[in-house]
Amino acid sequence: MRWILVLAFLLANSVKSQEAPEWFAQSLLHLPDEVAEAAREGKRVMLYFGQPGCPYCKQLMEVNFRQRPIAERMRREFVSLELSIFGDRDITWADGRPTTEKKLAAELKVQYTPTLVFLDEKGAIAHRVNGYYTPQRFMGALDQAWGKAPAPLPPGGKAEMGAESFFLPLTDLRRAKPLAVLFETPYCAECDELHATALRHPAVLAELAKYDVVRLPLSAEEVITTPRGRQAKAADWARSLKIDYVPTIVLFDGDHTERLRMEAYFRPFHVAGSLAYVSSGAWRREPSLQRYLQARGAALRRQGKPVDLWD
């Protein structure tokens, strides 16, 4: 009987994206039922939040999910459900509350696509991935979705972290200007790529000029004063912020409040847009970063400027 209802629901709503693999589940989006059924099968529920035209979503679908080890593990360990951050479909959240796709995305503060939310056997959030992870890092995130430590990544990247002229040698992070804090480590290939691409891009450099920019090694023992005025070792502060991915850029406004963080793989358009979203105060009038980025891209096109989301 349940599958008859699901079929009728799908015919009426056309929920399935052409990008999603066929092993994504067809669902009535009643999450208490999905969580319970997944638990009986020894699996957990994974909620995928995406949107049309998202290049990082396409990368997840066409690169990560086409690799046999990832696809087989997703089938074996998770029930995957596809949601749109701007969607209007009805959902029953894990605690039984009725809501919609876009309301749930707003409640969970989904700012980047793809965002993946993993639910445990009781419907609590077990782990979350905000943005695109490369395949090797993605496999580690699947470990974390089960409460396990991710397998260590093989050495990669340069022994010396990249140096930028706009990095300020600050230990007191109480700033009048917006503050951007970059956390990274040596031997980090994605950190090296950030330095070679986004941090060289004119649009990103223009936005960074509006910030005080500080780089902190993830394991630094140096004592700093945090934006809120607390003294701590940089490494301890990073742990308190739950920084578990490098590179991560945390953006604070002039009131010393964290407004956004970039903790996945991002290209220059999204880095520049994220910086502008915080420094301009746009977050006050537009709570959705993705809607802000869409409007920013449209404005650039009206000015005759090319917009390449993967540039």
Side-chain angles (χ1 to χ4, degrees):
M1 178 64 180
R2 183 184 177 201
W3 284 106
I4 295 174
L5 293 173
V6 170
L7 179 58
F9 180 82
L10 293 177
L11 290 173
N13 291 276
S14 301
V15 304
K16 201 82 159 128
S17 162
Q18 291 183 352
E19 292 182 341
E22 51 83 22
W23 42 263
F24 266 61
Q26 311 283 14
S27 174
L28 292 172
L29 301 181
H30 189 278
L31 295 186
D33 288 348
E34 294 291 352
V35 167
E37 186 169 331
R40 286 193 291 270
E41 298 174 358
K43 299 180 180 182
R44 288 186 168 182
V45 168
M46 186 273 287
L47 304 178
Y48 157 79
F49 288 90
Q51 63 172 318
C54 165
Y56 303 99
C57 304
K58 182 178 180 182
Q59 192 82 351
L60 177 70
M61 297 298 174
E62 295 187 357
V63 176
N64 297 38
F65 287 162
R66 288 185 180 177
Q67 296 194 11
R68 184 182 299 276
I70 291 177
E72 289 182 347
R73 188 169 180 188
M74 292 300 299
R75 289 173 181 262
R76 184 174 64 250
E77 298 182 11
F78 301 97
V79 173
S80 302
L81 304 178
E82 182 183 13
L83 304 176
S84 168
I85 62 169
F86 302 131
D88 292 312
R89 287 183 294 154
D90 293 327
I91 302 176
T92 302
W93 180 229
D95 61 5
R97 287 183 294 112
T99 185
T100 65
E101 292 171 285
K102 63 186 179 187
K103 288 181 181 178
L104 180 61
E107 180 182 336
L108 296 178
K109 297 183 179 179
V110 174
Q111 293 286 29
Y112 293 106
T113 54
T115 287
L116 308 180
V117 178
F118 296 87
L119 304 180
D120 67 15
E121 293 78 5
K122 295 183 179 180
I125 296 175
H127 189 59
R128 176 169 170 159
V129 174
N130 300 307
Y132 174 70
Y133 281 15
T134 55
Q136 199 164 33
R137 286 187 181 273
F138 188 81
M139 287 292 274
L142 298 185
D143 292 331
Q144 292 174 292
W146 287 98
K148 303 173 185 175
L153 294 172
K158 300 174 183 177
E160 295 292 329
M161 293 183 293
E164 306 295 345
S165 61
F166 49 78
F167 287 164
L168 299 176
L170 300 174
T171 57
D172 189 342
L173 304 187
R174 295 171 295 180
R175 314 305 300 170
K177 291 174 65 176
L179 174 70
V181 182
L182 167 62
F183 292 93
E184 58 179 327
T185 65
Y187 302 106
C188 167
E190 291 179 32
C191 301
D192 294 341
E193 183 174 351
L194 177 72
H195 284 275
T197 55
L199 298 187
R200 295 284 185 273
H201 196 281
V204 174
L205 293 174
E207 294 301 334
L208 282 172
K210 303 169 186 175
Y211 285 80
D212 285 337
V213 185
V214 177
R215 189 266 302 284
L216 295 176
L218 200 57
S219 59
E221 293 296 306
E222 181 181 22
V223 175
I224 62 168
T225 302
T226 72
R228 288 292 191 181
R230 182 172 63 89
Q231 288 200 325
K233 292 181 179 180
D236 292 338
W237 186 48
R239 279 190 287 273
S240 72
L241 292 176
K242 298 182 180 179
I243 307 294
D244 58 7
Y245 179 96
V246 289
T248 287
I249 303 175
V250 185
L251 304 180
F252 297 85
D253 64 14
D255 293 328
H256 311 139
T257 300
E258 179 185 338
R259 292 300 173 190
L260 194 67
R261 65 173 65 184
M262 291 173 272
E263 54 183 357
Y265 181 84
F266 294 110
R267 302 294 293 173
F269 174 82
H270 288 83
V271 175
S274 297
L275 291 166
Y277 180 68
V278 174
S279 67
S280 68
W283 55 269
R284 293 187 178 92
R285 61 183 182 273
E286 176 49 79
S288 169
L289 171 65
Q290 293 301 318
R291 290 198 185 280
Y292 170 80
L293 292 175
Q294 288 176 357
R296 178 181 171 90
L300 290 172
R301 292 186 184 96
R302 286 195 298 271
Q303 298 170 26
K305 299 178 180 179
V307 175
D308 184 349
L309 300 184
W310 198 250
D311 178 24

